[in-house]
Amino acid sequence: MAYAITQTCCNDASCVSVCPVNCIHPTPDEPEFGTTDMLYIDPRACIDCGACADACPVDAVFPVDRLRGPDTVFGDLNRDWFRDHPNDHAWGAPSFPRSLPGELGALRIAVVGTGPSAGYTAQELLRSTSAEITMIDRLPVTGGLLRHGVAPDHQSTKRIAESFASVFHDPRLRMHLNVEIGTDVTHQELAAHHHAVVYAVGAAADRRLGIPGEDLPGSLPATAFVGWYNAEPTVPADAVELSAERVVVVGNGNVAVDIARILLTDPDRLAATDIADHALAALRRSRVREVVLLARRGPGQAAWTRAEFLALRQLPGVEVVVEDHPEVRAAIEAAVSRTQSQAGPGTQAGPESRAALLAGLPLVPYDGAAEPGPGRRIVLRFLSAPVELSGDGRVEALTVERTTLAADGRVEGTGAEDVLRAGLVVRSIGHRGVPLPGLPFDERAGTVAHRDGRVVDPATGRPLPGTYVVGWAKRGPSGGIGANRACARETVDALLDDAAARTLPVPGPGRKDFERLVRRRRPDAVGLRELRAVDRAERERGEAEGRPRVKLATVPELLAAGRRR
């Protein structure tokens, strides 16, 4: 029986490299890679060896005959993808690990950040060079968005952290956590102690709506909401108030879907995850019964992935409905018709499939000014743009304008407005990078100015010697965890090319000098031993409650646990 890849696919292509018959696609060398929702296994070519299941870092690969419940659809999705993307599974040109001339000696490389892009960068460097790595993070724990961004009910996705554990424990790697570049140590000081510095700092800010009332209490960015339920130490435990019956989430990407799902999932199910204790307590007291996902565009332009939306439709005890609207109804019917005529239901990965996935959901009239009806439900409302948030001291209502899609795809307002009563509005319209002290910043793109991972001076276009960027800080906030693997390889290739060309600066002070600098500037910096103590404390707390871990939610708690090693 063939294997199939399921919802939790991380797209890092670990499975591709171990498949003996090359039946997993798209591969990193194929144009669809990076744009497809997930990877797929061709059941006609699969030899049932199980190598992909062993290699998968997020436990997303299973024999088709073992799929149960909502996961059974993934057997069909894997098969149907190859109807629309026929492949002879021929091998591409072989690739070989990079290496450096021995006479260059061991490079000293700093990686700022400890999230997925940083982990893949350090992994690539440790595998292909004899470099000594210094990892730095502003928080006292590692993981970045892997710890503080992945929804708590996606525990299998978080298992990819285990693949980075060996990286963090490598004897050639030193870790300095609770240290902020630009505050505790400058970029110039960091660069003076290393041949190269790679920034893997993500996109910490959020995009704004730019409408009146956006700063009222009860209006939150998704970054704060997600950090709240994931115990991000900079987000207060009381950041989210769940006393209203209706919540509006502006956006329809995977993060918006995550927020809607967490708000309406039975707290007893979440109690088996690593959700923050304060969030779990708040969800147990929550009065929220309805979540509206608001989108300016139509269903064909929805940004969630197919797997995430299929999971949303299977949420126990929650009804998912679509607001009835002539353009929305027409888009769904047209998408279903085109998809069926081309290759059968569920085969396309593009806009048509997203609209077609709404087929079968109730199309209902919706009055956002009325109280929510009985039960729990998620309302998908398309072609509606936020205009204003209002309320007496905190958010009580959101005014929206009806929109329409022009022939060229532009969103146009119709002038028709109505009001949705809501006690909490979460904007989930994307992340944005923030300027880093000492580095050039592209304000329009919201990224560090770069070329192929080399940080460049925008005025001259010349690379800044020994300075690189990776991940969302490099390419913008797009792509999931696995996309960072190819991104890291590109940046590391650029760095190694520069090393081989002998254009990297030669640091003056040694590694010990930098460690002394960190201890002097930040006496409460956290190293590997303290990190292990934190991990042990969280796991022990979790074991006592039947959970994978109970996260420590504040910097003082984390530092105290680290000192108890």
Side-chain angles (χ1 to χ4, degrees):
M1 177 61 67
Y3 280 71
I5 299 175
T6 63
Q7 175 191 351
T8 54
C9 177
C10 70
N11 267 12
D12 89 338
S14 295
C15 54
V16 172
S17 60
V18 300
C19 178
V21 292
N22 196 35
C23 72
I24 305 175
H25 296 271
T27 69
D29 298 325
E30 294 171 341
E32 296 92 348
F33 186 82
T35 60
T36 183
D37 289 349
M38 54 189 287
L39 305 184
Y40 302 88
I41 298 174
D42 187 347
R44 297 169 303 174
C46 177
I47 60 172
D48 198 21
C49 68
C52 53
D54 293 337
C56 179
V58 294
D59 197 23
V61 186
F62 298 93
V64 171
D65 61 353
R66 284 180 50 198
L67 297 177
R68 295 291 184 271
D71 283 344
T72 55
V73 69
F74 290 101
D76 295 333
L77 291 179
N78 276 252
R79 180 197 65 227
D80 291 347
W81 192 85
F82 287 94
R83 288 189 200 160
D84 198 50
H85 302 81
N87 198 297
D88 61 7
H89 307 305
W91 297 101
S95 60
F96 301 96
R98 291 291 304 269
S99 61
L100 291 173
E103 64 268 18
L104 288 177
L107 299 175
R108 293 205 303 274
I109 301 172
V111 179
V112 182
T114 58
S117 63
Y120 282 121
T121 299
Q123 189 177 72
E124 191 77 17
L125 286 165
L126 290 169
R127 286 176 176 176
S128 58
T129 73
S130 59
E132 296 176 341
I133 311 295
T134 302
M135 294 196 82
I136 302 167
D137 200 296
R138 64 184 178 87
L139 294 178
V141 285
T142 59
L145 284 182
L146 193 55
R147 177 183 170 100
H148 298 125
V150 176
D153 57 346
H154 283 357
Q155 288 297 305
S156 58
T157 302
K158 298 191 178 195
R159 288 182 191 142
I160 200 169
E162 297 171 8
S163 69
F164 296 138
S166 61
V167 173
F168 297 155
H169 288 74
D170 191 287
R172 288 188 283 138
L173 188 145
R174 296 287 184 273
M175 192 171 290
H176 302 288
L177 308 178
N178 203 35
V179 175
E180 188 163 8
I181 301 303
T183 301
D184 302 313
V185 178
T186 67
H187 165 71
Q188 290 74 17
E189 290 171 327
L190 188 60
H193 288 80
H194 298 87
H195 292 86
V197 182
V198 182
Y199 284 89
V201 294
D206 61 278
R207 294 178 60 195
R208 293 180 62 83
L209 295 169
I211 61 175
E214 187 169 8
D215 294 320
L216 278 171
S219 169
L220 292 176
T223 50
F225 195 95
V226 171
W228 173 76
Y229 64 58
N230 271 321
E232 212 275 8
T234 65
V235 180
D238 60 357
V240 176
E241 170 64 53
L242 300 178
S243 59
E245 295 185 333
R246 177 182 292 124
V247 173
V248 175
V249 182
V250 182
N252 61 5
N254 281 350
V255 175
V257 167
D258 282 346
I259 292 170
R261 191 180 64 251
I262 294 299
L263 280 169
L264 294 180
T265 293
D266 184 342
D268 286 341
R269 297 184 67 195
L270 295 174
T273 73
D274 65 350
I275 190 171
D277 275 353
H278 57 252
L280 182 60
L283 288 165
R284 289 194 185 282
R285 301 188 303 266
S286 172
R287 297 183 63 231
V288 177
R289 292 188 292 114
E290 180 178 283
V291 179
V292 181
L293 291 179
L294 198 71
R296 295 169 63 243
R297 297 178 179 272
Q301 291 74 41
W304 31 254
T305 60
R306 180 169 43 185
E308 286 294 326
F309 185 72
L310 288 171
L312 189 70
R313 291 188 60 165
Q314 301 292 333
L315 195 60
V318 178
E319 183 184 26
V320 181
V321 303
V322 181
E323 184 200 28
D324 197 2
H325 182 281
E327 287 188 49
V328 172
R329 182 184 291 270
I332 295 171
E333 292 173 352
V336 169
S337 176
R338 284 192 294 266
T339 300
Q340 290 177 339
S341 66
Q342 289 172 1
T347 61
Q348 300 295 312
E352 291 181 359
S353 74
R354 283 161 173 71
L357 283 174
L358 302 182
L361 291 177
L363 285 161
V364 301
Y366 182 70
D367 181 5
E371 294 293 329
R376 293 177 294 159
R377 71 173 183 172
I378 294 170
V379 180
L380 305 178
R381 177 165 175 161
F382 297 97
L383 300 172
S384 297
V387 173
E388 181 180 10
L389 290 165
S390 57
D392 184 11
R394 68 171 291 113
V395 168
E396 296 174 354
L398 171 65
T399 301
V400 299
E401 180 186 19
R402 280 295 181 188
T403 61
T404 187
L405 289 180
D408 59 3
R410 288 183 298 108
V411 177
E412 297 179 344
T414 65
E417 294 184 354
D418 61 325
V419 175
L420 279 64
R421 294 177 57 187
L424 177 65
V425 174
V426 183
R427 61 180 183 272
S428 181
I429 55 175
H431 291 242
R432 179 176 170 80
V434 297
L436 300 172
L439 295 186
F441 189 72
D442 184 338
E443 285 288 350
R444 187 172 64 176
T447 60
V448 176
H450 76 95
R451 186 169 58 249
D452 300 328
R454 295 179 178 91
V455 177
V456 298
D457 181 344
T460 65
R462 294 176 181 172
L464 274 61
T467 310
Y468 303 85
V469 66
V470 69
W472 280 7
K474 168 188 173 184
R475 66 181 190 274
S478 63
I481 292 171
N484 292 294
R485 188 177 188 180
C487 181
R489 183 171 293 123
E490 179 187 61
T491 294
V492 170
D493 280 345
L495 190 158
L496 297 184
D497 285 342
D498 294 344
R502 291 174 169 75
T503 60
L504 294 181
V506 178
R511 193 175 199 181
K512 293 291 185 183
D513 295 305
F514 183 72
E515 294 175 356
R516 283 192 288 269
L517 174 65
V518 170
R519 286 197 299 270
R520 186 169 67 251
R521 298 278 180 80
R522 194 74 196 219
D524 58 352
V526 171
L528 181 59
R529 285 190 300 173
E530 292 89 350
L531 182 66
R532 285 172 171 167
V534 169
D535 181 65
R536 187 165 56 249
E538 291 185 339
R539 289 182 184 275
E540 287 173 355
R541 295 176 71 197
E543 186 176 0
E545 300 184 18
R547 301 169 62 184
R549 69 172 65 234
V550 173
K551 289 179 179 176
L552 300 167
T554 68
V555 170
E557 287 177 311
L558 290 162
L559 295 179
R563 287 192 292 268
R564 288 196 295 268
R565 62 181 185 273

